[in-house]
Amino acid sequence: AAKRAPLVEEEELEGPAIESGELEGDEDAPDLPATAASELSPLVTVAPEEASLKVGERTRIVASLPGCVGYNVTDLRSSNSDIVKVDGDVQLLAVKPGTATITGKLLLEKGEKAFMTQITAYEPKLEAPNLPAHLGIDEALKLEAYVVGEADGVTPEWSVSDEKIAVIEDGKLIGKADGVVTVTAVHGEMKSQWPVAVGTAELPAAEDEEENEDDDDGFGLLTIIGGVIIIGGAAFFFLRRKRK
């Protein structure tokens, strides 16, 4: 490593960055385990150019090695191709939001090493992390928003569906009366909405929850009917046996 990287002084290296057995392809040399950080040695790393990738965009797997050591990346695989799929020899394509683990091999001049890394795919959208599902009357809440995939927060245009129930003043949402209001945020072409219950009002149950309740009621009714049939059948069998 010192010969191929003139900028690294020999006395600073307490030991070889990559054991000679690894580069020479020695069968007895132990394989380094693949890690989420993609580190093969203190001087060799393998990672995507972009760890967070917007849906529809591509990135490449690249390696950082000392000096001018040549390498190739091969055998790329994704743990979930529905989220991130392999698109070429070293390219990856984000398909839908989520996180996928990427594995592959780093081919050196006379050896190879397995590696593992992660890529997170996302869709840019407005989020309001501190917006509650319920707000008290006369309670004031400072509105905050950010765009998924961006480091800094944003200041969108806020509005409410009914100012008799809640209003927005000086960047704060203030409850005024009992009821449910829809809070809307618009930033560029992005738009997001959230329902908020004010005062004694409650948010309506989600459709999935209502369906689950209906299923539970139906299951309970079937259980009762089944129990009655079983008990009735047992009683009939007992009386018939008693007559005999």
Side-chain angles (χ1 to χ4, degrees):
K3 290 180 181 179
R4 294 183 178 275
L7 297 180
V8 180
E9 297 181 2
E10 289 190 47
E11 55 269 22
E12 294 180 358
L13 298 175
E14 297 180 359
I18 304 177
E19 295 182 5
S20 60
E22 296 175 20
L23 289 177
E24 298 297 331
D26 188 353
E27 295 181 357
D28 296 330
D31 287 339
L32 295 177
T35 63
S38 308
E39 292 192 2
L40 301 182
S41 79
L43 293 179
V44 179
T45 59
V46 183
E49 288 182 330
E50 298 291 338
S52 295
L53 200 61
K54 185 165 65 174
V55 170
E57 291 187 346
R58 292 173 171 81
T59 190
R60 300 171 68 253
I61 294 293
V62 294
S64 174
L65 293 90
C68 301
V69 178
Y71 72 90
N72 284 315
V73 175
T74 185
D75 293 344
L76 281 182
R77 282 180 170 78
S78 173
S79 63
N80 193 333
S81 295
D82 292 335
I83 295 176
V84 177
K85 73 175 183 179
V86 177
D87 185 33
D89 295 335
V90 295
Q91 287 200 86
L92 300 163
L93 172 65
V95 180
K96 71 177 184 180
T99 300
T101 299
I102 307 301
T103 58
K105 290 182 180 179
L106 180 68
L107 301 182
L108 302 173
E109 292 179 354
K110 294 183 180 181
E112 64 180 39
K113 280 296 168 185
F115 68 86
M116 177 174 65
T117 187
Q118 286 187 331
I119 293 181
T120 299
Y122 68 90
E123 282 185 348
K125 65 176 181 178
L126 279 172
E127 291 288 355
N130 68 329
L131 194 64
H134 184 272
L135 185 71
I137 294 178
D138 294 330
E139 181 182 354
L141 175 73
K142 184 178 180 181
L143 295 171
E144 297 177 354
Y146 71 94
V147 176
V148 174
E150 295 183 6
D152 299 327
V154 296
T155 305
E157 294 182 6
W158 298 94
S159 62
V160 292
S161 58
D162 191 341
E163 292 189 348
K164 294 180 181 179
I165 298 175
V167 296
I168 296 176
E169 295 179 355
D170 298 328
K172 296 180 180 179
L173 179 66
I174 305 173
K176 290 294 184 182
D178 297 334
V180 176
V181 68
T182 300
V183 179
T184 302
V186 178
H187 180 69
E189 297 181 354
M190 289 180 285
K191 177 180 177 180
S192 294
Q193 294 180 316
W194 304 271
V196 177
V198 180
T200 59
E202 295 182 359
L203 293 178
E207 293 182 2
D208 292 342
E209 294 180 0
E210 292 178 354
E211 291 177 0
N212 290 336
E213 290 177 0
D214 293 340
D215 293 341
D216 292 341
D217 293 341
F219 179 76
L221 182 59
L222 288 175
T223 303
I224 294 173
I225 294 174
V228 171
I229 293 174
I230 293 173
I231 294 173
F236 174 78
F237 177 79
F238 175 77
L239 293 174
R240 185 176 178 183
R241 185 173 182 182
K242 187 175 182 181
R243 289 195 191 100
K244 289 182 178 181

